[in-house]
Amino acid sequence: MGMKVGIIGCGSITKLRHAPEYTENPYVDEIVFYDRNIDRSEALVELFGGSIVHSVEELFEDPDIVAISDCSSNENHHLFSTNALLSGKHVLCEKPISLTVEHAKEIVAAQKESGKKLMVDHNQRFTRAHQKAKEIIGNGELGKVLTFRTTFGHSGPEQWGINKTNSTWFFKKERSGFGVAGDLGIHKIDLVHYLLDDEIEQVSAFQGSLDKLDENGNPIEVCDNIVCSLKTKKGRLGTASFSWTHYGEEDNSTIIYCENGILKIYNSEDYQIEVLTKDGVKVNYQLESIQTNDNQTNSGVIDAFIESIRLDQPPLVTGEDALLSLKVILGIMKAAETDTVVKIEKETLINS
């Protein structure tokens, strides 16, 4: 007997990632969709089968639903994910985990109290190239990591959202919170933590709304570009740039500079990883092609989430991981808004 899962929110991320990946997963039998706009949930039932409910409470109260994907917009995660966990469901929450540290902590506390799995969809950890890169860094063949740079840019969420419109919630301050930093930036911050087995500790940044306009032709309320300097706990230095104005080609690249050479990830059309040693040796890896907005492939996120439930293992991205990435993004926003260097506060987690 396969699992029954619920999905909250039926926007693009559900249509293109969660629903198809649950459908393909051999351990999942049925999906129950909820969206406050009933046409959206009905449209997904037509595509993927399953059923709809008219309230989130119906998902929480259904004893057969084992797990819930929270694909609501950012400002609602703390309500839905917290209640889902406390009602005894495993939860896969879209990123960012929340818009504030307080709300993120509510979700993390609910996970501890419920003992259920909480995974956050920082999906860059799941690509084969990033997993291979972590292995190369970890085995020490390139020596210590010294510096790094990472970029994530595409032509903007109004090209990707379900309505393809400049009225997208990503452009609204009260719903999106951090603009491109919360949409794309937080992915790369989480990736840096994962690849380097380290934590970003100090940040400075510049941001701007350089080009995007809202539905009334005014500059958007959140940043469409942000450029950051980062310093980690272990003393590595790096830069990060995040953009919604890469017109013509996406960029999802990360370059790690080590004592004995350089590791380039998603920097070339042909090879997902290029290793260049200081002795002039080049090793190229062809692993897979990364998802872009135009090329949707299975992200591996749903499979990993279902696996962690089935085998009762900790998920690859925990609530604590997501909270740390959120803190760094909040620090970056503060640095950009105040023209200062910001130190990321360390969590004093009281072990319950």
Side-chain angles (χ1 to χ4, degrees):
M1 182 62 192
M3 294 182 201
K4 184 175 178 184
V5 299
I7 301 182
I8 300 171
C10 297
S12 290
I13 199 78
T14 295
K15 183 178 174 181
L16 296 171
R17 304 267 170 92
H18 291 251
E21 291 182 25
Y22 278 126
T23 305
E24 285 172 20
N25 186 288
Y27 301 101
V28 174
D29 270 358
E30 190 190 341
I31 308 174
V32 185
F33 295 96
Y34 165 73
D35 192 287
R36 56 187 179 190
N37 173 344
I38 196 130
D39 298 345
R40 284 192 182 183
S41 39
E42 284 174 342
L44 292 192
V45 168
E46 281 183 25
L47 284 174
F48 300 104
S51 58
I52 65 170
V53 289
H54 295 85
S55 70
V56 279
E57 288 69 32
E58 291 174 70
L59 293 179
F60 301 154
E61 287 159 13
D62 183 339
D64 297 330
I65 290 178
V66 177
I68 288 180
S69 271
D70 182 356
C71 300
S72 63
S73 55
N74 304 346
E75 80 279 16
N76 290 319
H77 291 169
H78 73 107
L79 301 171
F80 294 145
S81 286
T82 299
N83 289 332
L85 286 160
L86 295 177
S87 68
K89 312 301 185 196
H90 301 289
V91 171
L92 171 58
C93 180
E94 260 309 319
K95 55 80 212 169
I97 183 170
S98 200
L99 293 179
T100 67
V101 170
E102 293 65 43
H103 285 163
K105 284 182 178 169
E106 275 176 40
I107 302 175
V108 171
Q111 185 276 319
K112 287 208 164 47
E113 189 181 323
S114 68
K116 295 293 172 187
K117 308 283 177 225
L118 167 64
M119 187 166 112
V120 182
D121 187 4
H122 286 295
N123 54 25
Q124 298 243 330
R125 294 187 180 212
F126 297 87
T127 77
R128 285 182 57 200
H130 288 146
Q131 294 193 336
K132 180 69 180 169
K134 183 176 174 67
E135 188 188 306
I136 293 169
I137 294 165
N139 71 22
E141 60 190 82
L142 291 174
K144 279 205 314 251
V145 171
L146 304 171
T147 62
F148 60 90
R149 71 175 174 83
T150 190
T151 301
F152 200 173
H154 61 45
S155 59
E158 77 279 21
Q159 319 289 328
W160 138 265
I162 209 146
N163 298 329
K164 301 217 179 345
T165 154
N166 285 25
S167 65
T168 171
W169 66 266
F170 283 104
F171 288 173
K172 306 281 179 248
K173 185 138 181 101
E174 75 280 2
R175 294 188 66 196
S176 131
F178 320 123
V180 71
D183 181 32
L184 304 182
I186 202 161
H187 273 307
K188 289 299 188 192
I189 296 302
D190 182 74
L191 179 67
V192 168
H193 289 157
Y194 173 71
L195 287 179
L196 304 188
D197 190 23
D198 199 352
E199 291 173 21
I200 293 164
E201 201 172 57
Q202 276 181 293
V203 299
S204 65
F206 291 105
Q207 66 164 351
S209 306
L210 306 184
D211 193 55
K212 295 297 186 195
L213 303 173
D214 66 15
E215 67 273 35
N216 304 315
N218 300 316
I220 61 171
E221 312 166 326
V222 290
C223 57
D224 58 22
N225 278 274
I226 190 157
V227 176
C228 325
S229 302
L230 311 168
K231 183 180 179 193
T232 74
K233 211 157 105 178
K234 295 180 184 171
R236 286 99 165 227
L237 307 178
T239 58
S241 55
F242 311 124
S243 177
W244 277 339
T245 61
H246 281 202
Y247 301 126
E249 188 180 44
E250 285 194 27
D251 189 346
N252 207 331
S253 63
T254 301
I255 304 183
I256 315 273
Y257 301 90
C258 307
E259 291 172 295
N260 302 328
I262 299 173
L263 179 65
K264 298 184 174 185
I265 312 164
Y266 296 129
N267 196 57
S268 126
E269 284 273 295
D270 302 318
Y271 302 108
Q272 287 75 50
I273 296 183
E274 303 158 279
V275 176
L276 300 89
T277 74
K278 66 177 179 189
D279 310 327
V281 176
K282 286 188 179 177
V283 186
N284 293 327
Y285 295 84
Q286 263 184 322
L287 299 156
E288 27 87 85
S289 62
I290 195 166
Q291 289 205 352
T292 63
N293 286 352
D294 300 326
N295 168 35
Q296 299 292 328
T297 50
N298 188 315
S299 67
V301 173
I302 300 295
D303 292 349
F305 176 54
I306 295 298
E307 196 77 343
S308 80
I309 295 170
R310 246 176 21 94
L311 305 178
D312 191 21
Q313 290 170 343
L316 186 58
V317 193
T318 63
E320 286 80 1
D321 292 333
L323 174 59
L324 183 63
S325 297
L326 173 66
K327 284 184 161 174
V328 174
I329 286 292
L330 287 166
I332 284 169
M333 299 308 292
K334 184 176 167 188
E337 280 156 18
T338 57
D339 290 330
T340 53
V341 175
V342 172
K343 204 165 169 45
I344 309 302
E345 289 303 308
K346 269 304 291 162
E347 217 23 76
T348 42
L349 282 175
I350 299 143
N351 290 325
S352 47

